[in-house]
Amino acid sequence: MNIFRLVGDLSHLLAILLLLWKIWKTRSCAGVSGKSQIMFGLVYITRYLDLFTNFISIYNTTMKAIFIAVAIATIYLIYFKFKATYDSNHDTFRMEFLIVPVGGLAFLVNHDFTALEILWTFSIYLESVAILPQLFMISKTGEAETITSHYLFALGSYRALYIVNWVYRYYFEGFFDLIAIVAGCVQTILYCDFFYLYVTKVMHGKKLSLPA
Amino acid sequence: KYAKSEKDEL
């Protein structure tokens, strides 16, 4: 565990708690992509199946359990409790366009051809693109609420910090996992455009809106 | 070096 990894994890935790809190507090999930949240739920569930097979640390187990619980709670709020506020007209990205190719790739490119390993690989690949429905939704409506943009910033920071963590681990521990690194870089690149808008608009007190 | 047991990242 290095500092980049720890701050990355905390940023990840902050992001998902922030989104859950916002939906709960405003009693609304307007502007939030339910499809991205379903895919993140799928990411955590398929990745953390090793909760049952492999104990790493209290920290690891606790964080995994929190991620799964928060993801399920968020999906529940969007699709059940506050369904009336869900912007389904703008959440039109087709999940199968991501899940099917990613599933195929996980079968073809993985470390080991076993069920758990393929599901882990699937989850790594899926996480790298799971935010696309949310970004697509923002590009469709042309704007995002400020808390939603803080959520995206925290989530993107987590990915960027993980890259620094991998560089650190490569140099100091000789450890690297190419699948995680490539997928993590793809994922971080997807946030670059958003980071630019966040720094130029939201940090100056403006709402995130796209130029017409 | 790659080992499956090293899946300590979240």
Side-chain angles (χ1 to χ4, degrees):
Chain A
M1 175 72 81
N2 56 64
I3 186 74
F4 308 110
R5 165 72 209 285
L6 180 65
V7 179
D9 284 348
L10 293 178
S11 176
H12 189 184
L13 186 64
L14 175 73
I16 62 174
L17 287 175
L18 192 62
L19 187 71
L20 186 70
W21 174 80
K22 170 207 143 80
I23 296 174
W24 183 256
K25 210 67 191 164
T26 60
R27 322 296 286 172
S28 164
C29 56
V32 176
S33 167
K35 292 181 176 174
S36 277
Q37 295 309 313
I38 287 182
M39 291 200 286
F40 279 122
L42 207 55
V43 163
Y44 300 134
I45 290 168
T46 51
R47 186 174 313 166
Y48 301 154
L49 287 171
D50 66 351
L51 273 173
F52 300 104
T53 60
N54 195 13
F55 178 80
I56 294 157
S57 65
I58 301 264
Y59 170 83
N60 191 278
T61 303
T62 312
M63 291 293 257
K64 285 175 174 174
I66 294 175
F67 286 158
I68 293 177
V70 173
I72 292 172
T74 306
I75 294 168
Y76 167 75
L77 292 187
I78 296 172
Y79 285 96
F80 296 95
K81 195 159 176 66
F82 303 127
K83 194 179 179 22
T85 64
Y86 171 50
D87 238 349
S88 59
N89 292 341
H90 289 124
D91 195 13
T92 50
F93 200 98
R94 300 272 296 271
M95 283 193 285
E96 59 272 35
F97 289 170
L98 297 178
I99 293 176
V100 173
V102 156
L105 192 62
F107 258 93
L108 295 173
V109 184
N110 52 51
H111 291 305
D112 199 2
F113 204 76
T114 59
L116 223 61
E117 192 63 27
I118 290 170
L119 284 169
W120 177 85
T121 313
F122 169 77
S123 120
I124 293 288
Y125 293 155
L126 185 62
E127 186 188 351
S128 70
V129 291
I131 202 63
L132 284 176
Q134 180 65 60
L135 296 175
F136 184 66
M137 195 171 178
I138 292 174
S139 73
K140 255 191 129 177
T141 60
E143 58 177 29
E145 283 176 47
T146 302
I147 298 180
T148 310
S149 40
H150 293 329
Y151 159 73
L152 283 167
F153 184 74
L155 204 58
S157 306
Y158 138 66
R159 266 352 277 203
L161 284 161
Y162 254 67
I163 294 182
V164 185
N165 152 61
W166 291 323
V167 173
Y168 179 96
R169 292 192 75 174
Y170 178 71
Y171 276 106
F172 295 99
E173 299 167 24
F175 172 85
F176 72 100
D177 183 332
L178 205 54
I179 287 180
I181 292 172
V182 172
C185 289
V186 168
Q187 189 175 355
T188 310
I189 289 165
L190 295 181
Y191 286 88
C192 285
D193 184 41
F194 167 80
F195 278 147
Y196 172 76
L197 290 170
Y198 187 86
V199 171
T200 55
K201 297 212 168 183
V202 183
M203 279 186 171
H204 293 87
K206 283 184 271 180
K207 192 171 164 162
L208 191 135
S209 59
L210 302 180
Chain B
K1 160 178 92 148
Y2 170 77
K4 262 176 290 170
S5 59
E6 286 199 58
K7 280 200 173 57
D8 61 319
E9 292 183 348
L10 293 166

